[in-house]
Amino acid sequence: KAGVTQTPRYLIKTRGQQVTLSCSPISGHRSVSWYQQTPGQGLQFLFEYFSETQRNKGNFPGRFSGRQFSNSRSEMNVSTLELGDSALYLCASSLAGQNGYTFGSGTRLTVV
Amino acid sequence: GESVGLHLPTLSVQEGDNSIINCAYSNSASDYFIWYKQESGKGPQFIIDIRSNMDKRQGQRVTVLLNKTVKHLSLQIAATQPGDSAVYFCAENIEGNNNDMRFGAGTRLTVKP
């Protein structure tokens, strides 16, 4: 079966712009989590969605938001981009919030 | 705050040798742990997991050891191969806590031919 698909793979944006990243989980998986990965901070939890509801949220500013659709696909949005938002954004899915994520390959966001 | 941490940021081993990657965790409530492998340009890949009611679990060429007394986790890779070169992360979770996994900083494993 297909894995977790993230689009786009690479993105370059200018400071102040906004961006939307997409994640399609493994078929049947209802939980989708988002992580930000940077060399300095490592993997940091952004938020988790299950059945279109945000169940858990990390310590990121309100500029970072997300949503999940009825087909479990998820998007995350970052508004008013800052240089420090440059990172690899990873999406991971699991069956029902159970342990053992499957990660996508990520979206590499560069803010210039 | 409580966090997951790694003892060594880099590890270099000879092909064929065994590798041991260590991880310390501080949240005594954590009861589920996972090791991930991340190769360049890819997302983390699940290697092996262990629950707190166990102290050892074996997979194919990998073994995870859990010492709850000192809050220490290790990943042992037998007969390390060049394809094992990657960054390895440990992650902790409180089972049932909505998948809020906390990851360590990662250890870069380099396998020398």
Side-chain angles (χ1 to χ4, degrees):
Chain A
K1 57 183 177 181
V4 178
T5 304
Q6 291 188 247
T7 57
R9 285 298 309 275
Y10 303 94
L11 205 49
I12 300 175
K13 289 286 189 178
T14 305
R15 275 181 300 174
Q17 287 187 311
Q18 69 142 17
V19 66
T20 299
L21 312 181
S22 179
C23 172
S24 293
I26 289 174
S27 179
H29 283 193
R30 296 168 63 191
S31 170
V32 174
S33 295
W34 289 88
Y35 284 81
Q36 181 196 65
Q37 186 176 31
T38 60
Q41 300 296 322
L43 271 158
Q44 293 189 289
F45 174 74
L46 280 156
F47 26 65
E48 187 236 357
Y49 286 87
F50 181 80
S51 293
E52 302 178 65
T53 301
Q54 186 183 90
R55 290 201 302 190
N56 211 348
K57 190 176 189 303
N59 295 322
F60 278 81
R63 300 186 296 108
F64 292 80
S65 63
R67 59 178 175 168
Q68 186 179 34
F69 302 94
S70 58
N71 61 357
S72 294
R73 189 177 70 85
S74 178
E75 289 180 347
M76 67 163 283
N77 185 78
V78 188
S79 62
T80 320
L81 283 165
E82 301 176 1
L83 294 178
D85 297 333
S86 296
L88 180 67
Y89 289 88
L90 291 159
C91 164
S93 73
S94 66
L95 271 171
Q98 296 168 1
N99 299 304
Y101 288 127
T102 299
F103 280 88
S105 294
T107 294
R108 172 74 62 184
L109 172 65
T110 302
V111 182
V112 297
Chain B
E2 296 184 314
S3 63
V4 178
L6 288 169
H7 291 176
L8 297 173
T10 60
L11 178 65
S12 183
V13 301
Q14 205 69 39
E15 181 179 357
D17 287 351
N18 296 334
S19 303
I20 299 176
I21 301 171
N22 296 303
C23 176
Y25 67 95
S26 57
N27 186 351
S28 56
S30 294
D31 56 8
Y32 181 65
F33 305 89
I34 303 179
W35 280 100
Y36 285 92
K37 170 187 180 184
Q38 187 174 24
E39 297 173 279
S40 181
K42 298 182 180 179
Q45 176 188 4
F46 175 94
I47 301 173
I48 191 168
D49 60 358
I50 188 167
R51 288 181 164 77
S52 59
N53 61 351
M54 303 172 69
D55 54 20
K56 180 179 180 179
R57 189 154 190 242
Q58 288 184 290
Q60 187 176 16
R61 282 201 307 118
V62 295
T63 301
V64 56
L65 300 177
L66 175 62
N67 186 331
K68 295 180 287 294
T69 303
V70 295
K71 298 189 184 69
H72 184 267
L73 193 70
S74 69
L75 176 70
Q76 299 178 0
I77 304 173
T80 314
Q81 301 168 1
D84 294 327
S85 293
V87 177
Y88 289 82
F89 295 94
C90 65
E92 64 175 319
N93 180 227
I94 300 172
E95 194 156 5
N97 189 24
N98 299 334
N99 255 342
D100 182 6
M101 307 280 319
R102 302 291 171 165
F103 287 81
T107 292
R108 181 173 296 281
L109 174 66
T110 301
V111 181
K112 297 177 289 185

